[in-house]
Amino acid sequence: MEFLSNTYFMLALTFAVYAASQILQSRTGWSFLNPILISAIIIIAYLKVNDIDIDNYNESGRYIEFWLKPAIVALGVPLYKQLSTIRKQLLPLLISELAGCVVGIISVVLIARFLGATQEVILSLAAKSVTTPIAMEVTKTVGGIPSLTAAVVICVGIFGGLAGFRVMRMSHIGSPIAQGLSLGTAAHALGTSRAMDVSDKYGAFASLGLTINGIFTALLTPTVLSLID
Amino acid sequence: MVLQCAIIFGCLALGELLVWLTGIKLPSSIIGMLILAFLLQVKAVKLRQVEGMANFLVKNFGFFFVPAAVSLMLYFDIIRAQWLPILVASAVSTVVVLVVTGWIHQISRKFF
């Protein structure tokens, strides 16, 4: 059955599986049923069952992956829309984002190193808090495994979305701005969608956290990594 | 739509050019994003000239990294061997980021 590994067939399959996963998530409302995660599991199973090589799938995959870079560039539009908010509270935002970013990189690297992870894995974890396309780019730049980063980032997002509000309640973070910001900073798009569930105001600050931490992480990760090496 | 693509890919190409010229360790796409925000801010590019395409890309960007998540099957061995450090480090660090960002923001709001 050579047709099962046809490039366009596997493209169509990827679209269909992702669309179905989206429907599944919105019907059930369960945030851990992340469409990326579910689609990847189904496609991996498909490849294994039909004994199709990953290189074969990547023939189709590269057409999809190609759009990652322009999609990151497109984030410039929401960034532009938030510029006036950013300017109004520039210092508190920058200081808390800078702290969150640096502490995030250092803590994940030191804990992973302490628990005996290999250097390749440690480098893949450094950018785990930020949105996947940025995180993968950072991982590529510092020499980790981009697809490991992709998986970790999704899991971090799901965990942050589920546990975020409880953690903040326990640590007495009460202001809506701080809560939204923290969720976006620690758990990127999934934290942002969780914040969006509460209110638009939370959501706006969460997407601000996502954007600023994305930029800081891209700018600072190589430097922070070389400092704690 | 073609003009919108020209602008977005133009920003990306500028980012690539800057990386190639200076050799800085930054993703070209991040530089492209900053260039696009800058061009919008100085009104060199109007919002309606990019908004449609940009919204499409941002809303669907989850889909674009499905292939990367599929490539994970190449690394099952690494994950099996190192799942504990990966899991613990990511979870603890996520809690730390939540708490530190929120605290510092609440404290610094009082001063500025």
Side-chain angles (χ1 to χ4, degrees):
Chain A
M1 279 300 273
E2 207 145 281
F3 182 75
L4 291 175
S5 62
N6 176 291
T7 303
Y8 292 98
F9 176 69
M10 288 198 292
L11 265 177
L13 181 77
T14 309
F15 278 113
V17 165
Y18 192 80
S21 313
Q22 278 183 317
I23 294 170
L24 181 71
Q25 189 185 37
S26 67
R27 286 270 166 85
T28 58
W30 294 339
S31 56
F32 64 88
L33 289 180
N34 178 275
I36 303 152
L37 211 59
I38 303 293
S39 306
I41 291 169
I42 295 172
I43 294 168
I44 289 174
Y46 173 82
L47 298 178
K48 293 262 186 209
V49 166
N50 294 300
D51 202 19
I52 299 168
D53 198 79
I54 180 77
D55 291 336
N56 246 328
Y57 177 74
N58 281 337
E59 287 286 305
S60 317
R62 66 197 170 97
Y63 293 106
I64 301 171
E65 213 163 4
F66 168 81
W67 290 96
L68 266 180
K69 279 176 181 244
I72 300 175
V73 174
L75 287 173
V77 171
L79 177 64
Y80 158 73
K81 286 182 177 167
Q82 286 161 0
L83 277 180
S84 63
T85 320
I86 297 176
R87 208 171 300 148
K88 256 181 261 162
Q89 347 188 340
L90 195 61
L91 268 179
L93 279 176
L94 289 184
I95 294 170
S96 51
E97 286 300 304
L98 188 65
C101 168
V102 173
V103 163
I105 301 170
I106 293 178
S107 60
V108 79
V109 167
L110 292 186
I111 296 170
R113 189 182 291 160
F114 177 74
L115 292 174
T118 58
Q119 185 66 7
E120 205 180 24
V121 169
I122 293 172
L123 292 175
S124 312
L125 295 179
K128 57 109 188 51
S129 299
V130 298
T131 188
T132 314
I134 297 179
M136 285 174 64
E137 287 288 311
V138 173
T139 298
K140 257 181 236 164
T141 314
V142 299
I145 308 164
S147 53
L148 179 59
T149 304
V152 170
V153 164
I154 295 165
C155 296
V156 162
I158 294 169
F159 172 71
L162 291 175
F165 278 111
R166 189 166 306 149
V167 168
M168 288 187 288
R169 227 181 2 256
M170 281 160 56
S171 53
H172 304 287
I173 295 165
S175 106
I177 299 176
Q179 287 189 351
L181 196 68
S182 292
L183 268 177
T185 306
H188 54 94
L190 287 154
T192 305
S193 72
R194 179 75 188 87
M196 217 57 113
D197 289 344
V198 179
S199 86
D200 277 1
K201 190 182 180 190
Y202 281 81
F205 279 96
S207 64
L208 204 55
L210 173 159
T211 314
I212 305 178
N213 194 26
I215 297 171
F216 277 172
T217 301
L219 293 172
L220 298 177
T221 305
T223 315
V224 173
L225 282 175
S226 64
L227 286 179
I228 55 176
D229 198 22
Chain B
M1 214 37 122
V2 175
L3 175 67
Q4 305 202 4
C5 281
I7 294 170
I8 289 171
F9 279 91
C11 291
L12 183 55
L14 267 177
E16 295 271 336
L17 179 69
L18 278 175
V19 171
W20 182 71
L21 283 177
T22 61
I24 45 174
K25 278 203 153 198
L26 255 183
S28 59
S29 50
I30 301 286
I31 301 173
M33 173 180 85
L34 296 174
I35 293 172
L36 180 60
F38 173 76
L39 291 177
L40 285 163
Q41 182 64 21
V42 300
K43 314 266 186 250
V45 170
K46 293 193 183 71
L47 195 54
R48 62 175 166 78
Q49 291 175 320
V50 285
E51 206 173 18
M53 187 68 192
N55 280 345
F56 170 77
L57 289 171
V58 171
K59 284 217 173 86
N60 293 296
F61 80 60
F63 177 71
F64 304 135
F65 47 80
V66 170
V70 173
S71 300
L72 197 67
M73 64 187 275
L74 292 171
Y75 304 103
F76 280 162
D77 291 343
I78 293 182
I79 296 172
R80 197 170 303 143
Q82 305 188 39
W83 64 272
L84 188 70
I86 294 173
L87 194 76
V88 174
S90 306
V92 174
S93 174
T94 300
V95 170
V96 170
V97 173
L98 276 166
V99 173
V100 168
T101 310
W103 275 352
I104 303 266
H105 187 264
Q106 287 192 157
I107 294 166
S108 62
R109 276 297 297 277
K110 293 187 183 135
F111 292 97
F112 301 108

